[in-house]
Amino acid sequence: AVGLACGRLTPDDFARLDALTPADPNDLDEPTCGRLDRTLHLLVAERSGNPILFHEIRRVLDLIQLAHKRLAHSRAWLAREVAEHT
């Protein structure tokens, strides 16, 4: 999806992601991380221009977020998750 989305992401897309990213990693919490993760992946999927890929990524994200809710009790874990995506 990233390969397809390259060149299609706009400055507004990056501003949207920046607005969801806390300046201080210590400010991460489960809702913030979940919004950022979902927005990032769905934005890339949408910009890929492939509706089937978008649908599948959205479906997988729904499943992943169920697991994240059980694991997101650790701030260190959340910080690593965000770092992997930045």
Side-chain angles (χ1 to χ4, degrees):
V2 171
L4 294 171
C6 281
R8 295 181 181 176
L9 292 163
T10 68
D12 286 342
D13 294 333
F14 290 107
R16 183 175 168 201
L17 295 172
D18 283 342
L20 292 173
T21 307
D24 183 348
N26 291 320
D27 291 337
L28 287 173
D29 57 19
E30 182 181 344
T32 301
C33 192
R35 281 189 299 273
L36 177 59
D37 184 67
R38 188 169 186 84
T39 301
L40 169 67
H41 288 96
L42 289 177
L43 181 60
V44 169
E46 181 181 346
R47 294 295 183 254
S48 76
N50 183 328
I52 295 170
L53 186 58
F54 176 83
H55 172 76
E56 289 302 310
I57 288 174
R58 185 179 58 200
R59 187 180 64 78
V60 169
L61 279 173
D62 290 344
L63 295 172
I64 289 171
Q65 286 191 334
L66 290 174
H68 277 200
K69 288 183 182 193
R70 294 184 179 252
L71 298 172
H73 63 278
S74 165
R75 285 185 181 263
W77 181 81
L78 285 171
R80 282 193 309 272
E81 286 290 309
V82 170
E84 287 178 10
H85 291 84
T86 56

